Amino acid sequence: MGAPKPKVPAADNTLRILRLLSSRRGPQPASAIATALELPRSTVYQLLAVLEDHGLVMHLKEEKRYGLGLGAFELSSAYSRQEPISRLGRPLLAGLVDALGESAHLAVLHGRDVLYIVEERAKGRPSLVTDVGVRLPSHLTASGRAILAALPKPQVRALYPNAAAFVSRHETTSPISGYSALSRHLDDVRTRGFATEHGEVTPGFGSVAAAVTDHLGWPTAAIAVTFIEDRVPAEEWPALAARIQKVANELTTRLYGRAKT
């Protein structure tokens, strides 16, 4: 075993402040930061001043609160440009496809749609509409339903304020055509622990999906496996979901998230 890494208290506490601010819904008073982190108030003020100088924290003087600054947003943008979810997820999806012999994809929420950022097609399986860069209504897809089920209910309601928010891809009407039906379906997803879709994107094809979450349990993406429904009986879907969840947990861990237990 290697020697333990030495800690640098000032650096450690600075990062703790940033992580705390990123976990809160709004700016925080310095006193609340000091209490939450069990740090002397004088130390917190000193570290906040350094962070403010670098643009990572902003001081709202009228409110006497501190929030994340433009520098933190720039770091977030740089993180997105480096496509970490795609880079980390691609080899995991490839392994899942090799093990199952069915196609898999990784998607993120983009407004009311899901945006597909990785697709791994199994050998001999037909091409799917879920190619990289394609957007589909999230309420129709297993990937989207897995993400929506992990969001707070008020946010889901805000995404679907009226009947016009619900669209269908085919002449056959989706069973989820209004908020009440969506809410009931997402409750079922939360209960069983995985999301499904039966031919609502492409007739004859089913999908099973699980969410990938961050360190706060917030959904950042979803992994789904899509297959011809006649090939995979419904009684096999829970076992399939368990394998997908295992891969989702691994991606969550690689993203420094909190794996689902």
Side-chain angles (χ1 to χ4, degrees):
M1 294 177 63
K5 296 179 181 178
K7 270 196 172 184
V8 181
D12 185 62
N13 290 330
T14 300
L15 294 174
R16 290 175 67 206
I17 289 174
L18 287 174
R19 183 174 286 273
L20 176 71
L21 290 175
S22 71
S23 71
R24 300 302 166 90
R25 296 293 185 185
Q28 301 292 304
S31 58
I33 296 171
T35 299
L37 299 180
E38 299 181 344
L39 292 173
R41 195 172 300 187
S42 59
T43 299
V44 169
Y45 276 115
Q46 291 170 2
L47 296 177
L48 285 170
V50 173
L51 288 167
E52 188 178 4
D53 286 344
H54 287 275
L56 294 170
V57 161
M58 62 177 179
H59 183 204
L60 304 174
K61 295 181 180 179
E62 292 79 9
E63 299 182 31
K64 297 181 180 179
R65 291 170 180 262
Y66 292 83
L68 293 176
L70 184 60
F73 173 76
E74 290 171 346
L75 286 176
S76 174
S77 298
Y79 177 85
S80 297
R81 286 195 300 272
Q82 293 177 12
E83 301 180 325
I85 297 179
S86 297
R87 291 174 182 270
L88 293 172
R90 188 170 287 108
L92 294 177
L93 258 67
L96 183 64
V97 169
D98 287 344
L100 298 177
E102 301 290 353
S103 299
H105 45 258
L106 179 66
V108 297
L109 192 65
H110 196 276
R112 275 197 298 267
D113 295 338
V114 283
L115 173 67
Y116 293 91
I117 59 175
V118 177
E119 184 186 42
E120 289 289 334
R121 182 146 55 102
K123 184 177 181 180
R125 293 293 181 265
S127 60
L128 305 170
V129 299
T130 52
D131 200 0
V132 173
V134 169
R135 291 171 48 152
L136 292 173
S138 59
H139 69 284
L140 296 181
T141 69
S143 298
R145 292 166 181 174
I147 295 172
L148 293 175
L151 288 174
K153 291 186 177 183
Q155 182 161 347
V156 177
R157 186 57 169 142
L159 286 171
Y160 292 89
N162 50 48
F166 294 87
V167 297
S168 178
R169 280 179 52 85
H170 309 290
E171 293 181 2
T172 303
T173 304
S174 167
I176 300 178
S177 56
Y179 181 74
S180 295
L182 175 63
S183 182
R184 288 193 299 271
H185 185 90
L186 296 182
D187 283 341
D188 290 341
V189 172
R190 296 182 190 103
T191 298
R192 65 174 174 257
F194 61 91
T196 62
E197 179 257 316
H198 295 268
E200 290 154 81
V201 173
T202 302
F205 284 78
S207 293
V208 174
V212 176
T213 57
D214 66 10
H215 64 288
L216 299 174
W218 195 268
T220 56
I223 292 174
V225 170
T226 298
F227 45 85
I228 298 173
E229 288 201 66
D230 289 345
R231 293 178 55 90
V232 185
E235 58 268 22
E236 295 180 9
W237 289 28
L240 175 60
R243 300 185 72 168
I244 297 169
Q245 185 67 66
K246 185 176 180 180
V247 176
N249 285 354
E250 176 63 23
L251 182 52
T252 292
T253 300
R254 292 191 182 193
L255 291 168
Y256 302 100
R258 184 177 61 194
K260 187 172 182 179
T261 58

